[in-house]
């Protein structure tokens, strides 16, 4: 299939691109490079040994997006363009809605012009909000507590209403990922957000402290609800998430309608446990201390992934050690690539 991946140079998009190329699909990346860099496209070409074109554009520009769909004879869109991060969404709520909600509206308008297209949408466990029970399945109430979760839930609703109204596309999978983490084993692609700032997922922030870029890790010590007082998250390897997206694409070739799937490991890990695992993977000490940050009030997330297992034949294969090792390998590889001598810079 010819697959266009919006946000294709970003974290989830790039790993999905690699997985789809390895499965024989032709992939086109579409990204405004707001949160990523164009080198990801050439690294993907190296890893896949095939051309991976990059269209530089904003998904909110429906005309440019439509032209790309037609020009590349696209059969399926994997929509990953958007903003992420709980804290970032609280700081920049309007930006979050503009990219996540307006962007999705534009993707739906552009796809309405295609012939029976397939859509896989990158949503999040953030749409659930505070867990009502131990495992969160796809029917768990959606009561997001942050602009991030609300913007993704509203984007889901736009998609749902379009499908109900019999507007194209009619084959859609909404993928609710639980805390993507880790990186491809090459170290060439990964979560690049935290390499430039203190933002990024927990693993990326751990790598920054292990590498000496940050002095210590602020730990969100939240409540007596968890045994060690730190939040618990269902960290899931990003290559497993990418495999889940690819499985959904295959599924939609045979199944019409709208389908929602959780992608997670089904096990939670506390931030303190993650620190210990990262120390073991990197061989470095990671100083950490509690913080007063109360932006994330959800103390524990664990995915119920039975639906993805039964319908997609998917389950997460990689564990916490592999997540930490691949994150650390990615951080070291990026340091090597970005070192002045590697870039041929004097002094
Ligand atoms: N990483 C997570 O923890 C996580 C979990 C679940 C869902 N999500 C959601 O999945 C999507 C992708 O997340 P990610 O982790 O890959 O983030 P990311 O920031 O690594 O990648 C997003 C990509 O989209 C691009 N982009 C942003 N706005 C755009 C626009 N208007 N037009 C074109 N390109 C645009 C960015 O430049 C970036 O390359 C986001 O919507 C995010 O909210 C992320």
């Amino acid at each position: 299939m010819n697959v266009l991946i919006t946000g294709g140079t970003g974290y989830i998009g790039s790993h999905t691109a690699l997985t789809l190329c390895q499965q024989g699909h032709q992939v086109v990346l579409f990204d405004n490079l707001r949160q990523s860099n164009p080198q990801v496209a050439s690294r993907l070409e190296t890893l896949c040994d095939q051309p991976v074109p990059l269209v530089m554009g904003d998904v909110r520009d429906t005309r440019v997006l439509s032209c790309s769909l037609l020009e590349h004879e696209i059969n399926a869109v994997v929509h990953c363009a958007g903003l992420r991060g709980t804290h970032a969404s609280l700081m920049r709520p309007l930006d979050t809605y503009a990219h996540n909600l307006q962007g999705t509206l534009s993707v739906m308008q552009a796809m309405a012009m295609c012939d029976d297209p397939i859509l896989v949408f990158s949503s999040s466990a953030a749409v659930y909000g505070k867990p009502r029970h131990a495992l969160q399945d796809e029917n768990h109430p959606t009561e997001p507590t942050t602009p991030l979760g609300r913007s993704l839930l509203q984007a889901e609703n736009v998609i749902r209403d379009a499908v109900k109204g019999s507007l194209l596309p009619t084959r859609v999978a909404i993928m609710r990922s639980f805390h993507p983490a880790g990186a491809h084993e090459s170290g060439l692609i990964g979560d690049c957000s935290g390499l430039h700032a203190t933002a990024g997922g927990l693993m990326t922030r751990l790598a920054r402290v292990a590498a000496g870029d940050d002095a210590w890790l602020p730990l969100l010590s939240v409540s007596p609800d968890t045994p060690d007082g730190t939040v618990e998250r269902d960290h899931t390897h990003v290559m497993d998430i990418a495999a889940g997206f690819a499985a959904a694409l295959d599924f939609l070739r045979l199944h019409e309608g709208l389908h929602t799937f959780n992608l997670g490991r089904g096990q939670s890990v506390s931030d303190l446990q993650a620190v210990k695992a990262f120390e073991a993977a990197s061989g470095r000490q990671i100083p950490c201390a509690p913080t007063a940050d109360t932006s994330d009030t959800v103390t524990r997330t664990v995915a119920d992934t039975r639906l993805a297992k039964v319908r997609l034949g998917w389950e997460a294969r990689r564990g916490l050690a592999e997540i930490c090792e691949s994150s650390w390998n990615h951080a070291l590889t990026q340091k090597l690539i970005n070192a002045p001598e590697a870039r041929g810079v004097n002094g």
Side-chain angles (χ1 to χ4, degrees), residues 149-178:
R150 284 189 282 273
S151 67
L152 290 173
L153 182 61
Q154 290 182 19
E156 286 189 8
N157 287 336
V158 165
I159 295 171
R160 247 177 234 114
D161 284 341
V163 172
K164 265 191 217 149
S166 295
L167 299 172
L168 291 171
T170 54
R171 297 166 191 266
V172 178
I174 290 174
M175 313 305 287
R176 292 176 176 163
S177 302
F178 281 65

Side-chain angles (χ1 to χ4, degrees), residues 253-301:
R253 291 162 100 161
L254 302 175
H255 299 86
E256 286 206 336
L258 185 141
H259 311 267
T260 303
F261 297 106
N262 282 343
L263 295 179
R265 221 157 54 89
Q267 288 174 34
S268 69
V269 170
S270 77
D271 277 9
L272 262 186
Q273 289 171 324
V275 170
K276 298 288 167 230
F278 208 96
E279 285 182 335
S282 63
R284 307 274 176 97
Q285 288 271 312
I286 300 180
C288 40
T291 167
D293 183 355
T294 53
S295 59
D296 198 343
T297 53
V298 176
T299 53
R300 190 166 184 269
T301 57

Side-chain angles (χ1 to χ4, degrees), residues 6-13 30-36 57-60 79-85 98-100 103 121-125 148 152 175-180 191-193:
T6 73
T9 53
Y11 183 36
I12 298 175
F30 188 101
D31 205 298
N32 65 1
L33 303 177
R34 178 194 158 117
Q35 306 277 96
S36 54
D58 195 297
V59 282
R60 293 167 296 174
H79 177 35
C80 300
L83 302 192
R84 65 160 155 162
H99 289 268
N100 294 359
F121 175 55
S122 177
S123 187
S124 165
L148 174 72
L152 290 173
M175 313 305 287
R176 292 176 176 163
S177 302
F178 281 65
H179 307 284
D191 179 1
C192 288
S193 59

Side-chain angles (χ1 to χ4, degrees), residues 219-232 270 272:
L219 275 180
L220 214 57
S221 53
V222 281
S223 81
D225 295 352
T226 61
D228 65 22
T230 63
V231 293
E232 293 184 6
S270 77
L272 262 186

